[in-house]
């Protein structure tokens, strides 16, 4: 090798220093990860430790009560399920429709740019703002009252931007070659969208939607604004009933002075976590299945 | 034929345009613009029925652009504009009354990179039939197209598995089957073998030679031997000083490859430039 000796002589590799620096950085980065993981584990352990003794069938099937040993979260659980179902029913058609319009139909001009920027901004608005908006708009102005419907509409506003963004991402991921092939076979725009773009984007859309919904059911602030802190001993039977949801129920229990109620709150958190983790598991499952298919 | 089962809704004969029966397609003073940039200038050529026309020329000379005029795929490009006429069986494809989706059901296309839909093999072939409201026997039509594209024996036992599991060459033959399914009159191929290995390439070339009995084929190719092997006529395009592509000459393939009329053609074919 014809190396230049004069350059080689001027090098100062400081190998041991670089090695030390490398391992220091490695441990700092590891520590950064551990801070998050350890605190999560401690939190989980505490909740499980406090909550598990309170978990039982009657905890799920009974209404709240002044007496801790008789208290359950049936009304909150059903309220959460109601909200989840209604929010899904509202957001999926609107969110996917908006995403399809923006990606496939809208002309690219200043107007569509403004819409795009605004949707991204809306996804970052604090949730309490949506709660107050829903209170003014749905509960008072539209006189829907403090009902399941008003709560669902409010959370719809909250998750809609997230679902639109996720759906657009999924639609943008559909290769243009598919669209070209569709048009070249005599399909029109709607046929291309319905038969090619949407089926290919569906796993991504579903994943985004599920994650957005799981955010909605974990929210307490906007729902408190709508439903107020209520003590309900019935399950909503139609969208115009009053309701409560798991985060609110947990919040009421936490704010009680007695220790027993803190155990109940922990048990409630476990139930909520089980729901959220199952939803995330479904989302991850869908994503993996999709990735496998596209790798083939 | 599938096509003859449906009446043409928009393809009306052009008044005063008499065209001999032996030509399916013709370009008349065709120019294509992308915004302010003219990509292709004043093209005049005739495409004979049941023949293979090869479009050759250096990169960027507008072969794909010209090809996409024959089924109006250029309509999909933002800011693109076409001047002049494409005459298809005596009708102007760019007449205001012509519906581009109807054109594309009659002039099919195969792309450079195999692009089967992420659907089953069967659904890929059935797609064109479904979107065009085919009322006949779908199974039979799919089988017929797969046989025509010499793919049937390889896939008949797995029609319901994903098209993405096929090899590249099989995928491209599937794309040809998909284009054949609606029984178009013309098939446009834009460098259909450039992503394939030599064996798969020869299979596609064999296929082209068989298909020409029933279809008219226009193929863009970078491969001179391929043009010589499969085509009856060859059109040579070049980039002019204004950067617009133009037709240098078009003639029988034998003549182009042995005794071209233009020096530039000879230079290109013998590899003396680009
Ligand atoms: N969608 C487009 N927008 C703008 N210019 C384009 C577009 N497609 C092609 N062109 C330009 O038109 C010219 C011809 O391109 P093309 O038809 O793809 O050539 P070829 O297929 O012969 O390589 C090139 O200069 C290319 O940059
Ligand atoms: Mg090209």
């Amino acid at each position: 090798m014809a190396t230049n000796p004069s350059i080689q002589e001027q090098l100062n590799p400081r190998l041991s220093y670089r090695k030390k620096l490398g391992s220091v950085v490695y441990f700092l980065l590891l520590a950064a990860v551990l801070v998050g993981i350890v605190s999560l584990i401690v939190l989980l352990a505490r909740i499980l430790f406090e909550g598990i003794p309170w978990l039982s069938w009657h905890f799920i099937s009974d209404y709240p009560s002044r007496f801790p040993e008789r208290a359950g979260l049936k009304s909150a659980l059903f309220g959460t399920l109601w909200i989840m179902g209604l929010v899904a029913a509202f957001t999926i058609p609107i969110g996917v429709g908006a995403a399809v319009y923006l990606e496939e139909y809208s002309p690219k001009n200043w107007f569509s740019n403004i819409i795009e920027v605004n949707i991204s901004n809306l996804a970052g608005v604090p949730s309490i703002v949506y709660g107050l908006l829903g209170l003014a708009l749905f509960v008072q102005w539209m006189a829907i009252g403090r009902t399941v419907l008003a709560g669902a509409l409010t959370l719809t506003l909250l998750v809609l931007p997230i679902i639109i963004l996720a759906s657009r991402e999924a639609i943008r991921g559909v290769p243009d070659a598919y669209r070209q092939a569709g048009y070249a076979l005599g399909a029109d725009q709607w046929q291309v969208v319905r038969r090619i773009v949407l089926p290919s984007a569906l796993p991504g859309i579903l994943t985004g939607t599920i994650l957005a919904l799981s955010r909605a059911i974990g929210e307490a602030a906007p729902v408190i604004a709508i439903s107020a802190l209520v003590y309900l001993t019935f399950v909503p039977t139609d969208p115009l009933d009053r309701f409560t949801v798991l985060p609110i129920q947990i919040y009421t229990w936490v704010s009680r002075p007695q220790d027993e109620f803190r155990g109940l709150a922990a048990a409630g958190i476990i139930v909520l976590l089980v729901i959220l983790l199952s939803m995330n598991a479904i989302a991850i499952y869908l994503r993996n299945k999709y990735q496998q298919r596209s790798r083939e | 034929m599938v096509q003859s089962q449906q009446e043409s809704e928009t393809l009306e004969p052009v008044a005063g345009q008499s065209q001999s029966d032996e030509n399916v397609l013709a370009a008349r003073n065709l120019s294509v613009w992308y915004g302010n940039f003219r990509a292709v200038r004043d093209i005049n050529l005739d495409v004979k029925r049941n023949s293979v026309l090869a479009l050759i020329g250096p990169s960027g000379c507008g072969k794909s652009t010209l090809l996409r005029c024959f089924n109006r795929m250029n309509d999909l490009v933002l800011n693109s504009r076409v001047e002049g006429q494409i005459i298809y069986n005596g009708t102007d494809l760019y007449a205001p009354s012509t519906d581009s989706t109807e054109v594309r059901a009659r002039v099919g296309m195969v792309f450079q990179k195999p692009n089967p839909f992420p659907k089953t093999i069967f659904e890929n072939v059935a797609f064109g039939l479904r979107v065009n409201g085919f009322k006949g026997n779908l199974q039979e039509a799919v089988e017929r197209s797969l046989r025509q594209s010499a793919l049937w024996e390889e896939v008949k036992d797995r029609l319901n598995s994903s098209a993405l599991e096929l090899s590249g060459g099989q995928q491209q033959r599937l794309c040809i089957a998909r284009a054949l399914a609606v029984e178009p009159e013309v098939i446009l191929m834009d460098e259909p073998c450039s992503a394939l290995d030599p064996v798969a390439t020869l299979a596609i070339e064999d296929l082209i030679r068989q298909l020409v009995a029933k279809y008219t084929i226009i193929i863009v190719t970078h491969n001179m031997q391929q043009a010589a092997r499969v085509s009856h006529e060859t059109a040579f395009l070049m980039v002019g000083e204004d950067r617009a592509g133009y037709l240098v000459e078009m003639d029988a393939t034998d003549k182009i490859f042995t005794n071209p009329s233009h020096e530039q053609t000879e230079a290109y074919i013998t590899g003396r430039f680009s």
Side-chain angles (χ1 to χ4, degrees):
Chain A
M1 276 243 296
T3 48
N4 188 336
S6 68
I7 295 273
Q8 283 288 326
E9 278 158 18
Q10 294 172 56
L11 295 181
N12 179 11
R14 297 193 297 169
L15 285 180
S16 69
Y17 166 75
R18 274 153 64 188
K19 215 168 173 176
K20 257 184 244 150
L21 183 68
S23 39
V24 168
V25 168
Y26 173 82
F27 282 109
L28 283 177
L29 297 178
L30 185 65
V33 173
L34 287 181
V35 168
I37 292 181
V38 168
S39 47
L40 191 67
I41 289 175
V42 169
L43 203 68
L44 267 181
R46 247 197 84 183
I47 287 169
L48 290 177
F49 179 74
E50 282 189 17
I52 282 180
W54 292 91
L55 280 179
S56 64
W57 178 244
H58 94 85
F59 181 67
I60 308 262
S61 64
D62 276 359
Y63 293 111
S65 157
R66 277 182 295 129
F67 307 105
E69 59 280 3
R70 275 197 241 148
L73 42 60
K74 184 175 181 186
S75 45
L77 184 61
F78 276 79
T80 288
L81 295 178
W82 262 97
I83 290 279
M84 197 160 62
L86 285 177
V87 171
F90 295 145
T91 48
I92 292 173
I94 302 175
V96 175
V100 167
Y101 175 80
L102 289 172
E103 282 303 315
E104 300 287 322
Y105 288 86
S106 95
K108 300 281 168 267
N109 55 25
W110 61 269
F111 183 68
S112 60
N113 275 343
I114 290 182
I115 293 184
E116 279 197 50
V117 170
N118 274 303
I119 289 176
S120 311
N121 284 340
L122 284 177
V125 169
S127 58
I128 183 65
V129 176
Y130 284 101
L132 298 175
L133 174 68
L135 181 64
L137 186 64
F138 302 125
V139 177
Q140 289 158 5
W141 190 69
M142 289 170 73
I144 300 176
R146 297 179 177 278
T147 58
V148 180
L149 183 62
L153 288 172
T154 303
L155 289 176
T156 296
L157 293 185
L158 175 76
V159 297
L160 205 47
I162 308 174
I163 290 186
I164 294 175
L165 289 177
S167 304
R168 290 187 63 181
E169 202 64 42
I171 289 171
R172 221 174 299 151
V174 178
D176 213 35
Y178 294 167
R179 296 182 183 86
Q180 297 265 332
Y183 286 119
L185 289 163
D188 61 27
Q189 187 167 20
W190 171 235
Q191 287 173 320
V192 167
V193 167
R194 191 179 78 75
R195 292 171 184 265
I196 300 170
V197 176
L198 283 180
S200 310
L202 192 65
I205 291 176
L206 282 180
T207 308
T209 304
I210 293 171
L211 293 178
L213 285 181
S214 70
R215 166 155 184 220
I217 64 169
E219 283 286 351
V223 194
I224 289 176
I226 301 295
S227 90
L229 292 172
V230 283
Y231 172 82
L232 289 186
T233 51
F234 63 86
V235 165
T237 52
D238 75 68
L240 294 177
D241 275 343
R242 296 215 54 179
F243 73 107
T244 184
V245 290
L246 287 173
I248 295 185
Q249 186 63 62
I250 294 165
Y251 181 78
T252 13
W253 279 332
V254 174
S255 44
R256 293 287 193 96
Q258 301 96 317
D259 271 354
E260 289 90 338
F261 282 105
R262 251 192 285 129
L264 282 173
I269 290 173
I270 293 173
V271 172
L272 186 58
L273 278 180
V274 166
I275 296 178
L276 292 178
L277 289 179
S278 331
M279 291 174 76
N280 280 274
I282 294 173
I284 290 168
Y285 169 77
L286 283 173
R287 186 183 299 159
N288 288 346
K289 200 173 134 186
Y290 169 65
Q291 278 171 350
Q292 243 164 25
R293 249 202 298 158
S294 56
R295 235 184 286 124
E296 271 160 7
Chain B
M1 269 194 39
V2 177
Q3 217 61 220
S4 55
Q5 292 173 0
Q6 74 192 40
E7 284 289 296
S8 167
E9 283 167 30
T10 62
L11 295 173
E12 299 294 332
V14 182
Q17 266 289 350
S18 66
Q19 196 184 21
S20 71
D21 256 2
E22 63 161 359
N23 294 334
V24 196
L25 278 166
R28 294 281 173 264
N29 301 321
L30 186 83
S31 292
V32 184
W33 302 76
Y34 295 116
N36 292 326
F37 169 60
R38 176 148 73 167
V40 151
R41 148 159 65 84
D42 293 329
I43 305 266
N44 284 289
L45 57 77
D46 295 314
V47 187
K48 290 203 180 69
R49 202 177 293 283
N50 296 99
S51 73
V52 179
L53 166 63
L55 301 181
I56 62 171
S59 281
C61 70
K63 304 179 295 294
S64 300
T65 300
L66 172 61
L67 193 72
R68 287 198 305 260
C69 289
F70 291 118
N71 66 344
R72 291 192 49 177
M73 284 298 278
N74 274 333
D75 293 18
L76 303 175
V77 179
L78 211 64
N79 293 328
S80 72
R81 188 161 52 83
V82 170
E83 261 175 32
Q85 289 181 314
I86 298 279
I87 312 290
Y88 166 73
N89 289 332
T91 73
D92 179 7
L93 288 191
Y94 281 94
S97 62
T98 306
D99 183 341
S100 60
T101 56
E102 191 185 352
V103 172
R104 295 182 196 132
R106 297 179 179 225
V107 182
M109 186 162 209
V110 176
F111 296 81
Q112 190 165 349
K113 214 170 141 253
N115 59 352
F117 300 126
K119 297 175 186 286
T120 64
I121 292 169
F122 183 91
E123 283 305 321
N124 263 279
V125 183
F127 185 89
L129 297 165
R130 288 194 196 280
V131 297
N132 289 295
F134 178 60
K135 298 226 177 55
N137 185 328
L138 206 57
Q139 309 281 336
E140 277 175 18
V142 168
E143 178 175 340
R144 195 175 339 122
S145 319
L146 285 169
R147 281 189 191 282
Q148 276 183 20
S149 66
L151 196 59
W152 175 253
E153 290 304 322
E154 290 158 66
V155 301
K156 63 180 176 192
D157 298 322
R158 46 171 175 153
L159 291 177
N160 288 320
S161 50
S162 168
L164 304 182
E165 290 166 18
L166 297 173
S167 72
Q170 288 174 322
Q171 288 189 7
Q172 196 61 305
R173 275 181 286 147
L174 180 67
C175 292
I176 294 176
R178 181 174 69 178
L180 296 178
V182 290
E183 298 199 342
E185 250 188 294
V186 183
I187 299 165
L188 311 174
M189 300 184 173
D190 195 346
E191 302 188 35
C193 303
S194 63
L196 305 183
D197 63 64
V199 176
T201 299
L202 289 182
I204 302 269
E205 289 180 12
D206 275 342
L207 186 55
I208 291 172
R209 278 189 290 267
Q210 288 165 30
L211 291 176
V212 76
K214 219 176 148 194
Y215 303 92
T216 305
I217 295 170
I218 308 179
I219 179 173
V220 171
T221 176
H222 257 122
N223 180 332
M224 294 303 114
Q225 287 84 16
Q226 181 168 71
R229 282 194 297 260
V230 301
S231 72
H232 303 107
E233 289 190 290
T234 299
F236 172 57
L237 284 81
M238 273 251 309
V239 192
E241 253 140 45
D242 54 353
R243 287 177 54 230
Y246 67 99
L247 180 66
V248 177
E249 65 175 310
M250 169 170 161
D251 216 322
T253 299
D254 285 346
K255 176 138 190 310
I256 293 277
F257 279 88
T258 54
N259 184 21
S261 312
H262 286 72
E263 221 173 282
Q264 295 159 319
T265 315
E266 188 172 353
Y268 182 73
I269 283 164
T270 54
R272 264 189 283 130
F273 80 80
S274 110

